[in-house]
Amino acid sequence: NDEPDIIVGGPSAPPIATAVPAGGDSSAAPMATAVPVTAFNNPNKKIERTTNADGSIAVKATTTSRRPNGYRDVTIEYFYVPANMAGTVIMSMDATGEPPSSLYLTKMEQQVLPPGT
């Protein structure tokens, strides 16, 4: 069956990089490296993309905004893109400088940081 599986609720955030293959032999594959992606329209956004051993990609997008009182709002979004869609999503990210669609969002964290941190 070539139809994609529909998973209600989705998995929790997958690991950003696969360090050891399923066989457990850490010498077989090097750890995946995060590649920065330029966010064209937002200098306060940092996007990192990691290609996993199975061809899927994990994306971490961090957006920081400053408040007038010196505090900073930080939003971290985690995306997981399966291998069969990775090529299309990578081309889109490289062309637009934006993270993947929210369809691939697996986790989001929000923090408020005090001045000086």
Side-chain angles (χ1 to χ4, degrees):
N1 183 0
D2 290 337
E3 294 295 319
D5 293 332
I6 298 174
I7 302 172
V8 178
S12 61
I16 293 298
T18 304
V20 179
D25 180 5
S26 61
S27 65
M31 184 166 183
T33 304
V35 176
V37 176
T38 303
F40 302 125
N41 300 324
N42 189 347
N44 297 318
K45 183 178 281 189
K46 178 182 175 186
I47 302 172
E48 296 175 46
R49 179 178 67 222
T50 303
T51 302
N52 296 311
D54 66 356
S56 64
I57 60 172
V59 178
K60 177 182 174 185
T62 305
T63 306
T64 304
S65 60
R66 296 194 181 277
R67 295 181 180 184
N69 62 4
Y71 281 76
R72 292 180 293 143
D73 293 315
V74 180
T75 302
I76 304 170
E77 297 170 300
Y78 297 91
F79 301 86
Y80 174 79
V81 181
N84 67 329
M85 291 302 296
T88 302
V89 171
I90 288 171
M91 286 190 327
S92 174
M93 289 177 64
D94 289 346
T96 65
E98 291 296 318
S101 161
S102 61
L103 294 171
Y104 301 109
L105 183 66
T106 59
K107 179 180 174 184
M108 185 167 66
E109 300 172 354
Q110 294 183 305
Q111 303 171 3
V112 176
L113 301 178
T117 57

